[in-house]
Amino acid sequence: MCDTDREPDRPDSGESATDAVFSTLLEDTAEELYESAPCGYLSTLMDGTIAKVNRTLLDWLGLTREEVVGRKRFTDLLTVGGRLYHETHYAPLLRMQGKIGEIALELKASDGRRLPVLVSSTVKTSGDGEPILIRATVFDARQRRAYENELLRERQAAEETRRQAEADRERLLEALSVLQQSLLPATLPTVPGMAVASHYHTASLDRLGGDFYDLFPLDGKRWGFFLGDVCGKGPQAAAVTSLARYALRAAALHDADPEAALTTLNTVLHERFTGGDPRYCTAIFGVMEPDPATGTTTVRIASGGHPPALVLRAGGQADYLPTPGGLLIGVLPDPQFTSAETVLGPGDTLLLYTDGLTEARIGAHRELYGEEALRSFAAGHARGGPHALVTALKELLAGFGEGLDDDTALLALGSTDPAAGSDAAPASAPAPVRESTI
C-alpha cells in the first residue's frame, strides 16, 4: 500500500551548491581554452607563415599578436641552430609523414633569451587531400633542459673522477712496482760453474707481496742464497721483507752457517715485532760451494717453516730435500733450526719456491696444486737446467689464472757440466720478471 501523503525526495541543498560552483568554473569557451592553455599553440600556412598563435606562446616570447600573425614565419621564432635543424630535418620529415612529435628545438625570445621547447606538428589537409595548414603544439622544456644539463654535469664530474682515480691508480701501481723491485735483486750474479735463474710472479698488481730471495758471494769460494715468504701483504709485509733480506745478508757475512743465519733473523723479527703486532716469515737459507773443475756443488741449507727444496737430477729424477723441525721465523724467542746437505752433480738443479705455487687452486673443485704435482712437473724438466725449468714454471703459473691468488718466487741453482757448458753461458740472469694474472 503506497503512502500517498509522503513528499517526493528533494536534492540536498549542499550538493546543489557544489554542482553550481563546478558548473561556473567549467564554463570555459573554446577560445579561452586555446588562449590560456599551459602549452603554446600556433597554426601556420604551408610556407611557415604564422596564421594563428595563442597568448601562452606570445607571453613566452615577449611578443604581441600584431608582431607575429601574418608577419613572421615559424622559423623566425627559432634560433639559428633551430632554423638549420628545421630546414634539414624537421620540415622534410613533416612533409613525408604528415605529423611529427616532440622534437627538441629552441625559440628565441624578444629579449634574446633561448627557450628550449618540444614541438609536435600535424598537417591539416583539404577534402581532396591537399595540405593546407600546419598545426603545432609547443611544450616548455626549460625544466627538462635544466634537468638534462644537471645530469650532464654530474656525468662529466663522474667521468673526471673516474679519470682521476685511474691516474691515481696508475701512479700507485708504478710506485708499488718500484718498491716491489727494490725488495728483489736487480740481477743475479754470475757464479762460476753454476747456472742460476729466478722469477717473481705477482698475483695482484695493487698489493705488495712478501716473497723475497737473493744470491750473493760470501768469499772466494762460497755463495749464500735464501728465499722466503713474509706473512701478509701490503706495506707492513714489505717492511718485514726489507728487514729480513738485509738481516740475512748481514748475518751471513758474520756467520755463514745456515742455522746461525736463521737464528739471527728470528732474533731480529722477534725483538722488532712484539706486542700486539707480531710478524713472522718462512725462509730457506743456504750456502753452496761449487767446484768448477768437477762440475759438482756442495749445498747446505736450513729451513724455517718453509716448503722443502726440490732437487732435480740430470737423469730426470726429482726429490724433496727434507729439513724437518724448522719453525716459523719470528714466532718463538729461541727456536731450533736443523740443516740438510746435498751435492749437486753436473746437470743437477736445486729449486726453491714459495707456497703460492703449491697452494694454487686448480680444476673445477679448486683443489690445491700440491707438492707431489710440483715434483712430477719438475721431473719432466729436470734435464733442461735452471733456465729451462724456471721458464716452464712461469708458463705453469700463468696457466693457473685466477686459481693463483698469492705471489710466487722461484730461485733455481744448477751445477754445470765443465765439458758441455750448456747452461753455464747465461749464468748472469736477467732482472726478475714481474707478471700479473689479472
Side-chain angles (χ1 to χ4, degrees):
M1 188 173 181
C2 297
D3 188 357
T4 56
D5 296 334
R6 184 177 177 182
E7 294 184 359
D9 292 338
R10 296 180 179 177
D12 183 85
S13 58
E15 293 182 359
S16 298
T18 301
D19 292 341
V21 171
F22 275 110
S23 297
T24 302
L25 292 175
L26 295 176
E27 288 180 355
D28 290 330
T29 64
E31 186 67 19
E32 288 175 328
L33 291 174
Y34 178 83
E35 290 291 340
S36 303
C39 58
Y41 287 123
L42 75 159
S43 300
T44 71
L45 303 180
M46 295 307 299
D47 65 356
T49 301
I50 299 174
K52 189 176 182 180
V53 61
N54 73 340
R55 186 167 59 249
T56 300
L57 184 55
L58 291 172
D59 290 343
W60 291 352
L61 296 171
L63 298 172
T64 64
R65 202 177 306 272
E66 290 74 17
E67 293 175 310
V68 174
V69 174
R71 294 179 177 272
K72 292 183 181 291
R73 297 186 178 187
F74 177 62
T75 53
D76 295 333
L77 306 180
L78 301 176
T79 61
V80 174
R83 286 198 295 270
L84 181 60
Y85 185 84
H86 182 275
E87 295 300 326
T88 57
H89 293 78
Y90 192 97
L93 283 175
L94 182 58
R95 286 193 296 268
M96 290 172 56
Q97 302 175 358
K99 62 180 180 180
I100 191 169
E102 296 188 350
I103 300 300
L105 295 171
E106 280 191 333
L107 301 180
K108 182 178 62 176
S110 60
D111 58 4
R113 288 179 298 114
R114 292 170 175 261
L115 305 177
V117 294
L118 294 177
V119 182
S120 297
S121 297
T122 59
V123 177
K124 179 182 179 181
T125 58
S126 62
D128 55 4
E130 289 296 321
I132 59 175
L133 199 65
I134 298 174
R135 290 173 174 165
T137 305
V138 182
F139 295 95
D140 188 349
R142 281 173 287 188
Q143 290 186 348
R144 174 173 172 171
R145 177 66 62 82
Y147 174 70
E148 291 174 345
N149 289 338
E150 181 63 25
L151 285 181
L152 180 60
R153 284 192 294 270
E154 291 180 359
R155 179 179 298 178
Q156 291 172 339
E159 181 64 21
E160 178 60 29
T161 300
R162 183 190 64 81
R163 286 195 295 266
Q164 185 61 45
E166 289 181 352
D168 291 344
R169 186 173 187 272
E170 287 297 323
R171 287 192 291 270
L172 174 61
L173 292 180
E174 182 180 359
L176 291 177
S177 176
V178 172
L179 179 56
Q180 185 75 75
Q181 291 179 8
S182 72
L183 300 176
L184 302 169
T187 59
L188 295 180
T190 299
V191 182
M194 298 288 294
V196 298
S198 66
H199 175 61
Y200 193 101
H201 186 105
T202 302
S204 176
L205 288 175
D206 55 2
R207 297 183 65 190
L208 281 171
D211 297 3
F212 59 93
Y213 61 85
D214 206 350
L215 172 64
F216 51 95
L218 295 172
D219 50 39
K221 295 182 178 180
R222 298 180 303 164
W223 295 77
F225 63 90
F226 57 79
L227 181 141
D229 185 1
V230 170
C231 176
K233 300 287 184 184
Q236 294 82 1
V240 179
T241 298
S242 179
L243 178 61
R245 286 190 66 228
Y246 291 110
L248 284 175
R249 290 196 66 142
L253 295 177
H254 175 71
D255 186 349
D257 179 75
E259 297 174 45
L262 293 185
T263 299
T264 299
L265 175 60
N266 185 86
T267 301
V268 170
L269 292 185
H270 192 266
E271 291 181 353
R272 171 66 177 80
F273 299 99
T274 56
D277 186 28
R279 296 285 171 175
Y280 54 89
C281 71
T282 67
I284 285 182
F285 184 92
V287 175
M288 62 182 183
E289 185 173 347
D291 184 353
T294 62
T296 61
T297 301
T298 301
V299 179
R300 187 163 177 260
I301 65 172
S303 173
H306 200 80
L310 187 59
V311 179
L312 287 69
R313 300 302 178 182
Q317 301 81 23
D319 293 292
Y320 288 102
L321 181 61
T323 48
L327 297 176
L328 292 175
I329 301 171
V331 175
L332 299 177
D334 188 24
Q336 296 298 315
F337 301 107
T338 59
S339 60
E341 186 172 314
T342 188
V343 176
L344 302 179
D348 293 348
T349 299
L350 179 73
L351 174 66
L352 306 182
Y353 57 92
T354 53
D355 59 9
L357 172 56
T358 52
E359 294 183 0
R361 298 286 178 172
I362 61 173
H365 299 291
R366 306 280 290 174
E367 299 175 347
L368 288 177
Y369 181 67
E371 292 181 354
E372 183 56 33
L374 174 60
R375 189 197 67 78
S376 178
F377 180 87
H381 298 84
R383 293 180 175 87
H387 292 280
L389 175 62
V390 169
T391 298
L393 288 171
K394 286 167 58 177
E395 295 175 355
L396 177 67
L397 290 169
F400 287 150
E402 294 182 356
L404 186 64
D405 58 4
D406 195 6
D407 291 1
T408 300
L410 304 172
L411 178 62
L413 312 168
S415 284
T416 59
D417 188 340
S422 59
D423 206 23
S428 182
V433 178
R434 303 183 70 248
E435 295 181 353
S436 172
T437 58
I438 296 178

